[in-house]
Amino acid sequence: MNIRWFARLAAAALVLVLLTAAAPKAGGKDKLIMGTSPDYPPYESIDAQGGGRVVGLDVDIARSIADKLGYELEISGMDFNGLIAALQAKRVDFVMSAMSVTEERKQNVAFTDSYYIARNTIVSLKDKPYASLEELAGKRVGAQLGSVQDEVLSGLSQVSDKVRLNKISDLIQEIKAGRLDAAIIEDAVAAGMTGANPDLSFTMIDPAPGDQGYAIAFPKGSPLLAQFNEQLAVMKANGELQAIIDKWFGTVSKSAKEDRGFLDFTVLDGYVGYILRGVSVTLLFSLVSALGGLVWGTVLTLFKISEIRPLKWFSTVYTSVFRGTPLLLQLAILYFATPQLIGYDISPLMAAGLAFGLNSAAYLSETIRGGLMAVDKGQREAAMALGLSYGTTMTHILFPQAIKNILPALVNELVALVKESSLVSVIGVADLMRRASVVQAETFRAFEPLLLVGAIYYVLVLALASCARLLERRLRVSD
């Protein structure tokens, strides 16, 4: 086996990702990037049955304003609690995601005039309704992390346990599982969720004092703020804004109107193809990360076994840092900090590939070093006796044997990368888990898409393990 094969394959995969990430963008107009969390219908959700476009009330308003101002609108999806960070990191030009105007947010961003004022509700099991916030004393109550409902929850001093989750669908499942007594959710979303889950009900609560409604967030000092305010005023005056609101409110997805049982896979009709398209993203990202990690891990291994102290120190510190901090933290830092530090707008897929590759290299460097140590010393001494150079000895004699020794460990690393790839959904990469979350949000059902994605992950891991066993048997033929 020649180690160059791995390097060539990794280089080809990395080039593919770089070309994908740097693909030219269509259209000749100036572009505005809108940050949103597309799991909050009817404000914004992904039309999984219609090609995967982000649609909703907020999208229609933003697109109308962008058209009037002569911009092309691009939508960047991510978790709600990462929107303000993305705006501050200049990853997006503005944020529009049913975001309420609060004094705390005003300290970091500038808001337009409000375009809609919603009301909060208490969602609970139908046989355990709550008529007011006071009745939640001593109960376990949840809200979406970073939302205005989260602030309402923070003000409930008598609540026994406050739970903050990233997605509304997760809160609904916690109520149905009995781990939450209630959740505070906005009215339009609550109507959709309770429509799809007949065992749930919701109660409207009084609007909070000083509620300023939903608005569009811009970086402070943005010249676009005044232009958007001007267009919002025009849309309010000519009735266009109300027409968009009427279009989306009261429209609950077809699946939400049907009374389904505990488990009904027919809810996935029309969504299976959308979820399966995530397989290619998951595999591409995992393979690139694994190959990049193998190449960089090999370099780190050479540093560790070299006689040059600075290289040994560098590889030791590198391994310690990357093994000693959470992978999710490394991913978030790479994705959000890169534009701020060097001004490069790194794509989510590239950030994910780099983060996972760098992290994997730290672990693989130790694995490869162990494989090299397992090769009989006589091999190196024989090579030296024959007058072979260091490079020839490593690439043609030691590394091929080391790779064969550690092949099971390499496969385990690849399997781990495939499973851990679900972390990239937090920065909007449309992998399998992200697509399952989209289907959850659109159908208001959680178990069915999660079970389907779980089955796909299991099949992928089985296929990788089978390929590894086949490769291992072929390598052992010469033993």
Side-chain angles (χ1 to χ4, degrees), residues 272-285:
V272 175
Y274 173 75
I275 292 177
L276 287 176
R277 287 197 289 276
V279 172
S280 60
V281 177
T282 296
L283 282 181
L284 173 64
F285 149 77

Side-chain angles (χ1 to χ4, degrees), residues 73-105:
L73 184 69
E74 179 179 317
I75 299 174
S76 177
M78 62 193 71
D79 277 0
F80 186 83
N81 58 348
L83 289 172
I84 297 295
L87 191 64
Q88 293 174 327
K90 299 181 180 179
R91 302 203 59 83
V92 298
D93 295 306
F94 67 95
V95 164
M96 194 171 184
S97 191
M99 180 171 284
S100 297
V101 179
T102 65
E103 294 303 320
E104 290 76 11
R105 287 174 180 156

Side-chain angles (χ1 to χ4, degrees), residues 191-215:
M193 289 292 180
T194 54
N197 297 275
D199 53 338
L200 300 180
S201 65
F202 71 92
T203 303
M204 303 286 283
I205 58 179
D206 295 332
D211 189 351
Q212 301 178 58
Y214 295 156

Side-chain angles (χ1 to χ4, degrees), residues 3 18 25 44 50 55 73 78 95 122 134 146 185 190 206 222 236 260 320 323 331 362 378 433 447 470-471 478:
I3 196 66
L18 290 171
K25 298 171 181 176
E44 45 267 322
V55 297
L73 184 69
M78 62 193 71
V95 164
I122 302 173
E134 289 72 21
I185 298 174
D206 295 332
S222 171
K236 288 176 182 175
R260 300 179 183 273
S320 176
R323 291 173 63 178
L331 175 62
M433 278 301 295
F447 283 129
L470 180 62
L471 179 59
S478 60

